């Protein structure tokens, strides 16, 4: 059963985080999400509140009749009418009222996040073989839960409109100004109660985002996004829903880093405030408005500088922006917050009650990590792309006139092996067919196989292809790029759009900046954090550093010594055979995300920009390939302009460190 939505009318011209006096009252108007034009005035079946409510109601009718002197016959008729209206069995001859027990409600909350345009069970990057992703598989799980439980609420925590070839096809070729997004159409069918605006939902511009909001039959919420230079919120800060007789508040927030990552889209149009302060303001307000239960759905990961990752992730504290991965803070600081449905960090997270505290668990880079919150709260996060569905089960009892949570359980449900829902497939069928035609279209030809599996531990033509495009476009001296997905290869034969989308999946723009030799050295040291501290047998990659934050630079030569401490790993840094000096000047081609401090490296944010034509890098790669027509690795590969040391310290088969001999050379197995 879907809850009825209560749209929130926000007082205009008022900064929710600053200014004197208490907040103005919020006006509430409830509507049914399935029938948005019909007002809702729900009254719970008394039998769901107390098993003998029918008897008490009938007895009240009898005594009322006696008080009004309508006689015994009138009283008995009233008793019988009340009994029949509730569908009850005939009254026993000698009824007895059992001892009273608190009314109890079971509520199931389902959550999605970071769908990134995935509807069908495919990423379009690995051929037609079905993958464990997509809203169609998620809908099957949702239908199962709705069949099992009477009271179910469905919420999304952001990042829907960008991130897959289907989303890219729709934005570029699907005429989004006049057609509904297939992602919105699917979610309309699924019956969401709310959607939190994520950072990547801004990537295709505000007109497309606002069009999606108009087409949605569910509210877009964010309590920390303002119209530029005003105190007016750009979205509803929260919504109220009614489910199972409960009044439930749902609040969402957006990562403040949008001000950097989508600067060209939002500068001069929107401002982004502190998400934690938004919760501090609006959770008490929802309580004052009568919320029995409050759900936080921030587009934010757990973070907290724990094993789950840093609080500042996509940018640094030096940017002057508030933190983005705020789940850790919200769980501890916001009293009255009962549930957290997280997102943004692409992690599988769930919680378990532990006495008067909460054990938060997560699967990060194949490792189980945990943290303890010193109070009861339910937390879950559904990874990315529809691979999981977050599920939180609550049992509430009414005590002294207030609903209290007496049991909470959180988990995530995998979509692996789950059949896709036919109705969702039908909604997106035309978009899916057009996307396959789009990604299978040949752009150029290669007569070699380009393997990207080892691209983060040795110089690779796949990364050099991106750098070659950036150098050819900007005419900079140096270029930096990351390997976003080491499972992506270029097969011999036609180079297709799906392969390009795998090599460069983001909507980043190309810029070039002027930097010093010292900034270059600092940048390489920052990037080399990707490698975990050297320990024989341990994994090479630091699980706290995502692969997209490990950049490789073309145009120089350098060595990364993985046995040295972080911050002093870069050796033999040369340009044209000469050591780089700290005051030397270079032009560096780079994506706009990194240039603005994305990932936490802020030194380029104030560097002079020498090239910025608003070109997205994926389109530049496509144009480059079309001009070339035929491409070989030798056309772009700058062989071994960087390498790891000591030689052989990494086993490429296992991606783990090898033991080193006393000489500092690796102890290799026989035959190597």
């Amino acid at each position: 059963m879907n809850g009825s939505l209560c749209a929130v009318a926000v007082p205009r011209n008022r900064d929710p985080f600053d200014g004197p006096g208490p907040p103005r009252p919020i006006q509430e108007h409830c509507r049914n999400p399935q029938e948005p034009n019909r007002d809702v005035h729900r009254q719970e079946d008394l039998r769901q509140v107390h098993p003998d409510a029918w008897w008490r109601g009938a007895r009240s009718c009898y005594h009322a009749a006696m008080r009004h002197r309508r006689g015994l016959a009138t009283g008995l008729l009233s008793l019988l009418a009340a009994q029949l209206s509730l569908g009850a069995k005939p009254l026993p001859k000698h009824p007895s009222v059992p001892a009273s027990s608190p009314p109890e409600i079971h509520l199931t909350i389902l959550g999605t996040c970071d769908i990134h345009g995935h509807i069908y069970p495919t990423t379009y990057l690995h051929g037609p073989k079905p993958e464990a992703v997509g809203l169609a598989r998620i809908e099957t799980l949702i239908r199962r839960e709705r069949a099992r439980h009477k009271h179910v609420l469905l919420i999304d925590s952001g990042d829907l409109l960008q991130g897959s070839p289907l989303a890219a096809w729709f934005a570029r070729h699907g005429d989004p100004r006049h057609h509904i997004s297939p992602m919105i159409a699917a979610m309309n069918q699924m019956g969401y109660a709310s959607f939190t605006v994520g950072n990547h939902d801004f990537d295709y511009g505000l007109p497309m985002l606002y069009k999606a909001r108009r087409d949605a039959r569910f509210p877009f919420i964010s309590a920390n996004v303002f119209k530029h230079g005003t105190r007016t919120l750009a979205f509803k800060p929260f919504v109220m829903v009614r489910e199972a007789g409960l009044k439930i508040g749902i609040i969402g927030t957006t990562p403040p880093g949008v001000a950097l990552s989508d600067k060209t889209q939002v500068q001069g149009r929107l401002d982004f405030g502190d998400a934690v302060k938004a919760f501090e303001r609006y959770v008490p307000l929802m309580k004052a408005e009568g919320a029995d239960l409050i759900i936080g759905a921030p587009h934010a990961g757990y973070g907290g500088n724990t094993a789950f990752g840093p609080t500042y992730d996509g940018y640094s504290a030096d940017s002057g922006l508030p933190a983005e991965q705020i789940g850790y803070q919200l769980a501890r600081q916001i009293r009255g917050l009962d549930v957290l449905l997280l997102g943004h960090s692409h992690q599988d997270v769930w919680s378990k009650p532990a006495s008067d505290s909460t054990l938060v668990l997560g699967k990060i880079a194949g490792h189980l990590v945990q943290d303890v919150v010193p109070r009861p709260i339910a937390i879950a996060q559904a990874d990315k792309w529809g691979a999981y569905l977050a599920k939180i089960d609550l049992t509430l009892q009414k005590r002294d006139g207030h609903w209290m949570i007496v049991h909470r359980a959180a988990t995530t449900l995998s979509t692996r092996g789950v059949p896709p829902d036919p109705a969702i497939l039908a909604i997106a069928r035309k978009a899916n067919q057009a996307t396959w035609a789009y990604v299978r279209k040949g752009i150029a030809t290669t007569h070699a196989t380009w393997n990207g599996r080892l691209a983060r531990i040795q110089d690779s033509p796949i990364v050099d292809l991106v750098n070659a495009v950036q150098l050819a476009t900007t005419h900079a001296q140096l270029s930096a790029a990351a390997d976003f997905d080491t499972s992506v290869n270029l097969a011999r034969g036609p180079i297709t759009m799906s392969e390009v989308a795998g090599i460069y999946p983001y909507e980043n723009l190309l810029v070039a900046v002027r930097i010093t030799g010292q900034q270059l050295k600092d940048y390489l040291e920052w990037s080399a954090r990707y490698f975990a501290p050297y320990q024989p047998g341990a994994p090479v990659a630091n699980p706290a550093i995502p692969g997209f934050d490990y950049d490789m630079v073309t145009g120089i030569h350098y060595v990364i010594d993985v046995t040295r401490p972080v911050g002093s790993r870069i050796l033999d840094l040369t340009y044209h055979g000469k050591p780089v000096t700290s005051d030397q000047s270079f032009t560096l081609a780079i994506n706009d995300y990194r240039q603005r401090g994305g990932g936490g490296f802020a030194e380029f944010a104030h560097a002079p920009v020498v090239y910025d034509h608003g070109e997205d890098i994926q389109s530049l790669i496509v144009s480059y390939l079309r001009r070339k027509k035929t491409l070989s690795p030798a056309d772009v590969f700058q062989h071994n302009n960087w390498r790891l040391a000591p030689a052989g310290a990494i086993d490429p088969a296992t991606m783990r460190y090898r033991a080193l001999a006393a000489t500092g050379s690796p102890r290799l197995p026989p035959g190597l």
Side-chain angles (χ1 to χ4, degrees):
M1 180 183 295
N2 295 315
S4 57
L5 302 186
C6 304
V8 177
V10 183
R12 295 177 61 84
N13 299 322
R14 181 172 180 81
D15 187 338
F17 311 137
D18 298 299
R24 297 177 185 174
I26 286 188
Q27 301 170 355
E28 178 189 302
H29 189 61
C30 298
R31 294 189 183 277
N32 188 316
Q34 303 302 322
E35 302 176 84
N37 295 319
R38 180 181 297 179
D39 289 349
V40 175
H41 303 284
R42 297 179 60 183
Q43 184 174 359
E44 293 299 310
D45 187 333
L46 289 177
R47 288 170 297 171
Q48 299 301 320
V49 178
H50 193 284
D52 294 294
W54 63 270
W55 166 246
R56 293 201 302 272
R59 187 172 60 181
S60 299
C61 291
Y62 174 84
H63 288 300
M66 295 301 97
R67 286 195 300 271
H68 288 86
R69 300 181 181 181
R70 292 176 182 171
L72 180 60
T74 304
L76 291 174
L77 287 173
S78 299
L79 184 152
L80 180 60
Q83 181 183 3
L84 293 176
S85 70
L86 291 171
K89 296 179 180 180
L91 292 176
K93 292 182 180 180
H94 302 287
S96 60
V97 180
S100 178
S101 60
E104 190 169 89
I105 287 174
H106 301 279
L107 176 67
T108 296
I109 303 166
L110 303 178
T112 56
C113 65
D114 299 278
I115 295 298
H116 284 291
H118 292 85
I119 302 175
Y120 268 64
T122 178
T123 61
Y124 302 95
L125 303 179
H126 306 292
K129 184 179 179 180
E131 299 172 75
V133 299
L135 286 175
R137 290 188 190 266
I138 288 288
E139 173 67 352
T140 299
L141 289 178
I142 291 170
R143 287 184 176 275
R144 290 176 184 175
E145 293 300 319
R146 284 175 169 154
R148 293 169 182 160
H149 306 287
K150 181 176 181 181
H151 302 296
V152 176
L153 207 57
L154 177 61
I155 296 167
D156 188 273
S157 298
D159 269 8
L160 171 72
L161 301 177
Q162 180 276 342
S164 73
L166 186 147
W169 168 83
F170 177 73
R172 294 168 179 167
H173 307 288
D175 194 11
R177 293 177 299 174
H178 301 102
H179 294 95
I180 184 171
S181 161
M183 287 75 76
I184 295 296
M187 289 179 67
N188 281 343
Q189 171 73 16
M190 296 167 73
Y192 278 82
S194 69
F195 169 77
T196 299
V197 182
N199 55 306
H200 284 293
D201 296 311
F202 293 86
D203 284 359
Y204 290 122
L206 295 182
M208 184 168 168
L209 173 57
Y210 292 158
K211 171 69 163 51
R213 177 173 62 176
R214 291 193 300 272
D215 290 337
R217 294 204 297 265
F218 47 88
F220 281 36
I221 60 174
S222 182
N224 67 320
V225 182
F226 305 90
K227 294 181 180 179
H228 176 62
T230 74
R231 297 178 178 180
T232 303
L233 286 165
F235 303 93
K236 295 181 177 74
F238 63 87
V239 292
M240 292 284 196
V241 302
R242 292 188 184 277
E243 184 62 53
L246 300 172
K247 192 173 184 180
I248 304 169
I250 308 171
I251 177 174
T253 53
T254 300
V258 175
L260 293 176
S261 61
D262 280 290
K263 185 177 180 180
T264 56
Q265 308 289 2
V266 302
Q267 189 174 36
R269 299 176 179 89
L270 296 175
D271 299 326
F272 296 83
D274 189 310
V276 176
K277 288 184 179 179
F279 271 81
E280 290 174 344
R281 171 59 61 93
Y282 284 110
V283 167
L285 186 56
M286 286 188 282
K287 280 291 186 184
E289 291 293 315
D292 300 303
L293 181 75
I294 294 181
I295 302 169
H299 189 66
Y302 190 76
N305 300 318
T306 65
F308 291 86
T311 298
Y312 280 88
D313 189 4
Y315 50 94
S316 72
D318 295 338
S319 66
L321 293 171
E324 59 174 333
Q325 310 289 22
I326 56 170
Y328 174 95
Q329 294 170 268
L330 296 177
R332 285 163 169 74
Q333 295 177 208
I334 309 300
R335 296 299 168 184
L337 186 62
D338 302 299
V339 172
L340 268 177
L341 290 173
L342 300 171
H344 189 46
S345 59
H346 295 191
Q347 295 174 343
D348 178 16
V349 179
W350 65 98
S351 66
K352 291 183 178 180
S355 186
D356 292 330
S357 61
T358 301
L359 181 64
V360 185
L361 300 163
K363 196 176 293 182
I364 314 299
H367 302 279
L368 186 66
V369 299
Q370 65 181 50
D371 188 47
V372 177
V373 178
R375 74 177 186 93
I377 187 172
I379 301 174
Q381 182 179 347
D383 204 334
K384 64 179 180 180
W385 301 357
Y388 291 88
L389 175 68
K391 178 185 176 184
I392 292 176
D393 287 308
L394 301 178
T395 301
L396 299 94
Q397 289 183 354
K398 200 164 192 178
R399 299 175 180 175
D400 299 324
H402 299 284
W403 288 103
M404 307 289 292
I405 299 174
V406 296
H407 174 75
R408 51 177 63 82
T411 189
T412 56
L413 308 176
S414 173
T415 59
R416 189 171 300 279
V418 175
D421 180 76
I424 300 302
L425 294 180
I427 286 172
R429 182 167 289 116
K430 290 184 179 179
N432 176 64
Q433 292 170 347
T435 302
W436 275 118
Y438 170 67
V439 301
R440 285 171 173 160
K441 186 176 181 180
I443 301 167
T445 301
T446 183
H447 299 297
T449 297
W450 307 41
N451 194 312
R453 192 179 78 84
L454 304 179
R456 293 177 187 163
I457 65 168
Q458 65 185 34
D459 199 1
S460 162
I462 282 187
V463 177
D464 281 351
L465 169 60
V466 178
N467 279 325
V469 171
Q470 295 182 167
L471 288 172
T473 304
T474 63
H475 302 289
Q477 296 165 280
L478 314 176
S479 178
D483 185 283
F484 296 109
D485 185 347
T486 56
S487 70
V488 173
N489 306 311
L490 288 182
R492 180 180 302 167
I495 300 174
T496 64
M497 269 302 306
S498 64
E499 291 172 317
V500 174
I503 292 171
Y504 213 99
Y506 298 106
E507 305 299 320
N508 295 332
L509 304 181
L510 178 62
V511 298
V513 293
R514 184 167 295 281
I515 64 171
T516 66
Q518 185 61 55
Q519 287 176 314
L520 176 62
K521 171 70 159 51
D522 293 344
Y523 175 41
L524 293 171
E525 292 285 7
W526 172 86
S527 186
R529 302 171 309 147
Y530 172 76
F531 297 101
Y534 173 79
Q535 182 178 347
V540 168
N542 181 346
I545 308 299
F548 58 75
D549 277 341
Y550 171 49
D551 293 347
M552 290 150 272
V553 178
T554 290
I556 52 174
H557 284 76
Y558 60 99
V559 174
I560 303 174
D561 188 337
V562 295
T563 65
R564 295 171 68 91
V566 171
S568 60
R569 289 175 161 180
I570 303 302
L571 306 175
D572 301 331
L573 176 58
T574 63
Y575 176 70
H576 288 179
K578 297 180 180 180
V580 171
T581 61
S582 61
D583 60 349
Q584 201 166 351
S585 178
F586 298 96
T587 51
L588 172 69
I590 199 168
N591 68 56
D592 63 330
Y593 170 77
R594 188 74 73 233
Q595 181 263 329
R596 294 184 176 120
F601 186 77
E603 289 191 36
F604 296 158
H606 303 292
V609 176
V610 297
Y611 184 95
D612 184 0
H613 292 181
E615 302 152 315
D616 77 271
I617 295 171
Q618 188 185 100
S619 295
L620 289 171
I621 295 172
V622 171
S623 298
Y624 179 88
L625 292 172
R626 283 178 175 155
R627 290 194 305 271
K628 288 283 187 180
K629 295 183 181 178
T630 301
L631 193 72
S632 70
D635 293 330
V636 298
F637 190 30
Q638 295 196 17
H639 186 67
N640 285 342
N641 80 283
W642 66 270
R643 62 182 176 84
L644 299 181
I650 295 173
D651 182 352
T654 63
M655 299 299 284
R656 292 177 177 271
Y657 287 121
R658 286 180 173 138
L660 297 175
T663 60
S665 300
R667 186 181 295 113
L668 301 179
L672 291 182

